[in-house]
Amino acid sequence: MRRIRANAIAILTVAWILGTFYYLWQDNKPHATPSSVSQPRAAGGRSHGQRVSAGRLEIHRDDRTIPLISCLSHRTEHPGQVIGHFDEKAYLSRKQLKPGEDPYREHAFNLQESDRLGSERAIRDTRHYRCASITFDADLPPTSVIITFHNEARSTLLRTVKSVLLRSPPPLIQEIILVDDFSADPQDCQLLTEIPKVRCLRNGRREGLIRSRVRGANAASASILTFLDSHCEVNTDWLQPMIQRVKEDHTRVVSPIIDVISLDNFAYLAASADLRGGFDWSLHFKWEQIPIEQKMARTDPTQPIRTPVIAGGIFVMDKKWFNHLGQYDTHMDIWGGENFELSFRVWMCGGSLEILPCSRVGHVFRKRHPYDFPEGNALTYIKNTRRAAEVWMDDYKQYYYAARPSAQGKSFGSISDRLALRRKLNCNSFRWYLENVYPELKIPEQEAVSSVLKQGGLCFESHGTDSVGLGECKGSGSNRPQSQKWTLVEPLIRQQDLCLAITGFITGSKVKLEPCNQKEPRQKWRPKGPALQHMVSGLCLDSQSPAGPPAITQCRPQLASQSWEPQLAT
Ligand code: UD2
Ligand code: MN
């Protein structure tokens, strides 16, 4: 009896050991392929498929199951629901590159590569790792996405639209408004309306991107506007940071970091996170490093970057604020300059511009325009930037004209409605903008040519650090002493850092040298024939007599004592 019991225990022990081994062996078998994941197995309710769908997970399997779930939810939930049953193959196949055709000709990027990529490729999440842990309000408002285009390639346009639908939380996308700016084929736009949320507006004639965007904005039904170019790919969680910032303060106009999609092979490349938008006096946009003091102060790489201007194509703005600030200058044509006009207006009229490092959008930057400009590229850019300069830059527009002499005399239409807008909005001056937003933009040093101021055979000269008088002319060219070299850059008569100033505003007041200050009324002069007139008192520089100390007296330019003949000193 005892023997039978011992045998039974031994058999049970062996069975238990064998059972355990079998169990572990089953568990270590390679995973089923995703296609077999949904096929439940009967035994013991331990099918992989049931684990995923019913969520009955065993702790020691978690690390393997979680990526499977996220992959599944991405693959099966998203495309079907947000893209619908759009016949993508048919859409793309109607516009294929013909054998031997130059793939760059029509769009100024490699169309062959773009077509080959498909519309749903994965791209690298280029954000700083800390961005992934930022949370957003649960009740962010939805946005209308506005994409204007003229003869865009179908594959890039479709990828732009699909990336928006696939990489945005669906409730945040109210609609995608495509504004077809009179492209050759109306179907490029029209066919895309089969995709849920996509609307298409077609211009009856070519309007340019500025008026097209205004049309899109007017048609938008959401309270927040999001503008995109037609050859973009938005990246992970691109939208929430922008909507969050605008929700917190409707006067903020925000843009993402714009990553680079190679125009040759369509590789998605991360852009530097230390850049902001800047420009030179010719109103040429450029990316520039954040000023060093600001860089040092940035302890949190997820924080917004204040930017003097935006690149122009990709930004989010409250719709009411867009309308309140006067939308865009709709007398600007085709392309260019509207980003300066918008940027100056936003800053000068009470808003701000930011780049948000936790929002990333890729864009195909091109080297040339693939489309025509009915009035010519250069003239259009000049017209648009001239309008921006004339309306917003006050006296500083002189530096724009100095940097772009060809702009003078070119027509730019009437700006009275924009000037009225500026008055109505009670905007700050351009000087305020330079001092508060873009102090790094330096006022150009005007060509400083040094001259001698001759009177009779004598030369106007400095004595010591502050007094002046007439003296025998000495040397010539580079041998001439510094004390006899003057630079006349209106309104200053300058010798190095010292400037000629009057000591009183009445006739007979003596003149002297003092540290230059452009704003000091006592230092302001202008030429009046051969004489030099003090601008505020209206009196003229007079040597009185060769021996007497110079002073200001009533202007009589015919007097020898008031006649100064500037001659080049070098
Ligand atoms: C940049 C901006 C662009 C715009 C421009 C200055 C980015 C990424 N891009 O130039 O949005 O602010 O600077 O004006 O910041 N388009 C039309 N009608 C036209 C011409 C163009 O709808 O007559 C469309 C075009 O298809 C594209 C968008 O406007 O979707 C911008 O044109 P672009 O891509 O040639 O400009 P880009 O990126 O060189
Ligand atoms: Mn573009």
Side-chain angles (χ1 to χ4, degrees):
M1 190 64 192
R2 209 182 258 175
R3 203 177 168 142
I4 295 169
R5 244 185 30 219
N7 277 348
I9 288 172
I11 290 166
L12 279 172
T13 308
V14 170
W16 182 77
I17 289 169
L18 284 175
T20 307
F21 272 118
Y22 178 74
Y23 176 90
L24 289 174
W25 174 74
Q26 277 290 314
D27 231 23
N28 282 332
K29 257 183 18 181
H31 267 268
T33 57
S35 60
S36 67
V37 155
S38 55
Q39 311 279 307
R41 287 187 315 157
R46 293 193 68 254
S47 102
H48 299 284
Q50 278 178 339
R51 273 181 220 170
V52 172
S53 54
R56 279 190 276 129
L57 302 174
E58 286 169 8
I59 288 164
H60 69 281
R61 302 283 307 246
D62 255 356
D63 56 336
R64 275 185 271 169
T65 312
I66 282 172
L68 188 60
I69 286 177
S70 67
C71 160
L72 276 176
S73 64
H74 205 78
R75 291 251 147 261
T76 56
E77 276 167 34
H78 267 186
Q81 281 170 17
V82 298
I83 304 296
H85 301 290
F86 178 64
D87 188 351
E88 190 171 311
K89 269 209 182 101
Y91 179 71
L92 294 174
S93 65
R94 259 174 268 173
K95 281 278 173 67
Q96 298 262 288
L97 205 63
K98 294 176 190 64
E101 215 178 318
D102 174 3
Y104 290 84
R105 192 184 55 86
E106 217 179 321
H107 301 286
F109 54 64
N110 188 341
L111 181 63
Q112 196 171 9
E113 280 301 311
S114 174
D115 287 353
R116 209 160 60 180
L117 268 185
S119 66
E120 258 180 65
R121 65 153 166 179
I123 49 174
R124 188 162 75 83
D125 180 352
T126 49
R127 298 170 301 167
H128 190 276
Y129 70 92
R130 276 203 228 164
C131 296
S133 50
I134 293 179
T135 55
F136 307 100
D137 294 355
D139 60 344
L140 289 179
T143 182
S144 296
V145 178
I146 297 159
I147 302 171
T148 75
F149 68 95
H150 175 72
N151 289 341
E152 183 60 70
R154 285 190 173 189
S155 53
T156 37
L157 181 60
L158 178 65
R159 230 179 354 261
T160 308
V161 169
K162 283 188 77 170
S163 75
V164 169
L165 291 171
L166 290 170
R167 297 207 184 93
S168 315
L172 292 191
I173 303 295
Q174 171 110 351
E175 60 193 347
I176 297 180
I177 301 178
L178 302 176
V179 185
D180 170 5
D181 189 13
F182 201 52
S183 301
D185 184 352
Q187 295 293 301
D188 291 353
C189 188
Q190 205 48 52
L191 289 171
L192 292 176
T193 58
E194 286 162 29
I195 300 175
K197 297 190 184 181
V198 176
R199 296 170 59 192
C200 170
L201 307 175
R202 178 171 163 86
N203 292 339
R205 58 168 193 194
R206 178 87 175 279
E207 297 286 358
L209 72 91
I210 296 117
R211 288 190 289 277
S212 302
R213 281 188 195 157
V214 169
R215 181 169 180 207
N218 287 338
S221 59
S223 64
I224 294 195
L225 307 174
T226 299
F227 294 95
L228 279 181
D229 273 12
S230 47
H231 32 256
C232 292
E233 279 169 85
V234 303
N235 209 322
T236 314
D237 289 346
W238 69 294
L239 191 56
Q240 299 95 310
M242 296 200 279
I243 296 191
Q244 177 80 42
R245 288 294 286 177
V246 173
K247 182 191 170 212
E248 285 165 8
D249 177 349
H250 72 278
T251 67
R252 289 176 186 148
V253 176
V254 300
S255 48
I257 289 185
I258 306 180
D259 285 334
V260 175
I261 300 173
S262 160
L263 65 93
D264 295 313
N265 60 16
F266 277 74
Y268 188 102
L269 309 164
S272 160
D274 288 334
L275 301 177
R276 63 175 195 176
F279 57 92
D280 61 24
W281 286 102
S282 71
L283 291 186
H284 172 81
F285 176 87
K286 57 183 182 190
W287 297 107
E288 60 182 33
Q289 290 288 326
I290 305 170
I292 189 75
E293 322 79 64
Q294 282 178 40
K295 211 170 184 168
M296 307 281 272
R298 276 176 72 77
T299 49
D300 179 356
T302 67
Q303 283 303 301
I305 297 164
R306 278 163 51 102
T307 185
V309 290
I310 52 171
I314 309 176
F315 63 97
V316 174
M317 186 167 183
D318 182 90
K319 180 172 168 167
K320 281 203 193 103
W321 184 236
F322 179 74
N323 289 340
H324 173 79
L325 285 187
Q327 301 189 318
Y328 270 121
D329 177 354
T330 50
H331 287 101
M332 289 187 176
D333 300 325
I334 307 296
W335 176 98
E338 93 293 342
N339 54 329
F340 296 113
E341 198 271 346
L342 178 78
S343 300
F344 298 160
R345 189 153 44 86
V346 167
W347 278 116
M348 289 163 64
C349 311
S352 61
L353 293 175
E354 300 178 341
I355 294 170
L356 305 183
C358 288
S359 177
R360 296 267 185 166
V361 174
H363 168 260
V364 187
F365 289 92
R366 293 177 287 203
K367 295 188 185 131
R368 64 172 172 88
H369 300 287
Y371 40 76
D372 65 310
F373 285 68
E375 313 278 325
N377 178 348
L379 272 185
T380 305
Y381 198 72
I382 282 175
K383 175 183 172 187
N384 293 354
T385 50
R386 241 195 120 166
R387 291 183 67 85
E390 286 287 339
V391 175
W392 296 101
M393 288 171 72
D394 304 328
D395 288 346
Y396 293 88
K397 69 186 176 195
Q398 64 172 299
Y399 301 117
Y400 161 78
Y401 288 115
R404 207 179 263 280
S406 59
Q408 263 150 2
K410 300 272 163 40
S411 68
F412 60 96
S414 163
I415 51 169
S416 53
D417 55 340
R418 299 308 278 180
L419 289 172
L421 170 78
R422 182 173 167 179
R423 272 193 303 275
K424 186 187 93 187
L425 294 173
N426 203 10
C427 305
N428 276 309
S429 64
F430 198 73
R431 180 154 160 205
W432 175 92
Y433 170 83
L434 287 178
E435 285 172 359
N436 293 280
V437 180
Y438 201 13
E440 295 78 18
L441 181 65
K442 293 288 169 251
I443 313 286
E445 273 289 314
Q446 283 169 5
E447 259 320 270
V449 183
S450 58
S451 327
V452 276
L453 292 173
K454 273 198 172 169
Q455 194 168 85
L458 299 175
C459 281
F460 191 59
E461 62 182 14
S462 60
H463 302 145
T465 55
D466 63 357
S467 69
V468 287
L470 277 178
E472 196 186 318
C473 298
K474 297 185 192 107
S476 64
S478 55
N479 292 329
R480 197 177 293 279
Q482 285 300 330
S483 62
Q484 292 189 349
K485 285 185 185 170
W486 302 89
T487 55
L488 309 176
V489 177
E490 237 186 282
L492 301 177
I493 300 176
R494 184 192 269 265
Q495 200 165 76
Q496 274 117 19
D497 295 333
L498 298 177
C499 282
L500 192 68
I502 58 170
T503 52
F505 287 84
I506 53 168
T507 184
S509 300
K510 302 275 178 290
V511 296
K512 61 163 189 160
L513 287 178
E514 62 180 34
C516 295
N517 175 1
Q518 188 118 28
K519 292 176 207 149
E520 172 53 63
R522 291 180 299 101
Q523 296 183 10
K524 295 190 173 182
W525 304 86
R526 68 170 154 233
K528 184 175 179 150
L532 291 166
Q533 183 180 37
H534 180 253
M535 280 161 72
V536 182
S537 65
L539 301 170
C540 281
L541 180 65
D542 195 325
S543 66
Q544 300 178 328
S545 68
I552 43 171
T553 62
Q554 205 189 342
C555 287
R556 274 166 296 171
Q558 67 281 14
L559 282 184
S561 61
Q562 287 190 11
S563 172
W564 306 94
E565 314 159 37
Q567 288 174 4
L568 281 188
T570 45

